[in-house]
Amino acid sequence: MKPADFGIADVTELYHFADASQIAYGGVSYARFVNEEKNAVHCSFLVGKSRLAHVKPMIIPRLELSAAVLPMKLDRTLREELEMKIDRSVFWSDSTAVLQYIENEDNRF
């Protein structure tokens, strides 16, 4: 996942992206490594997953919420399967509906 001459990774992060359209939705995950000397950064594609939208028409905000779930599942799977310490995970979405849903106090677990 990182070049041979990269050295030892001091910081390992997972970056997850989600997006949706009327046809499909999906998520993708990348690993970001920073070496011990803090002079090199390397990013690697890890996994992508997509789903076709339901046959029954759905509004875009609902599809965006469905898309936001995929990276959460990918993060859990990657943390279980990768044999390395993950320092943090970062999630990205361009959907205002998803961001407002997350900020809503009533929806917190």
Side-chain angles (χ1 to χ4, degrees):
M1 290 193 308
K2 56 187 166 100
D5 63 343
F6 185 77
I8 297 171
D10 184 46
V11 177
T12 304
E13 301 169 323
L14 296 177
Y15 282 80
H16 307 280
F17 299 86
D19 204 3
S21 71
Q22 291 179 332
I23 299 168
Y25 59 92
V28 63
S29 299
Y30 292 86
R32 180 179 183 267
F33 304 99
V34 180
N35 70 355
E36 286 181 319
E37 293 81 30
K38 308 278 193 262
N39 63 356
V41 174
H42 182 76
C43 295
S44 294
F45 170 80
L46 295 178
V47 64
K49 192 165 255 196
S50 63
R51 301 264 192 257
L52 289 175
H54 298 277
V55 175
K56 179 181 173 183
M58 298 177 76
I59 61 173
I60 295 292
R62 177 68 180 152
L63 289 168
E64 291 281 1
L65 285 169
S66 297
V69 172
L70 280 177
M72 297 297 296
K73 291 180 179 180
L74 291 174
D75 184 70
R76 184 175 1 149
T77 301
L78 289 169
R79 284 178 173 272
E80 290 173 3
E81 298 297 326
L82 291 174
E83 297 176 354
M84 61 180 67
K85 181 180 138 260
I86 306 296
D87 296 303
R88 77 176 180 149
S89 294
V90 180
F91 298 88
W92 295 89
S93 175
D94 64 350
S95 170
T96 306
V98 170
L99 298 174
Q100 289 176 348
Y101 187 86
I102 292 168
E103 286 295 319
N104 186 349
E105 299 260 345
D106 296 334
N107 294 321
R108 293 189 187 254
F109 296 99

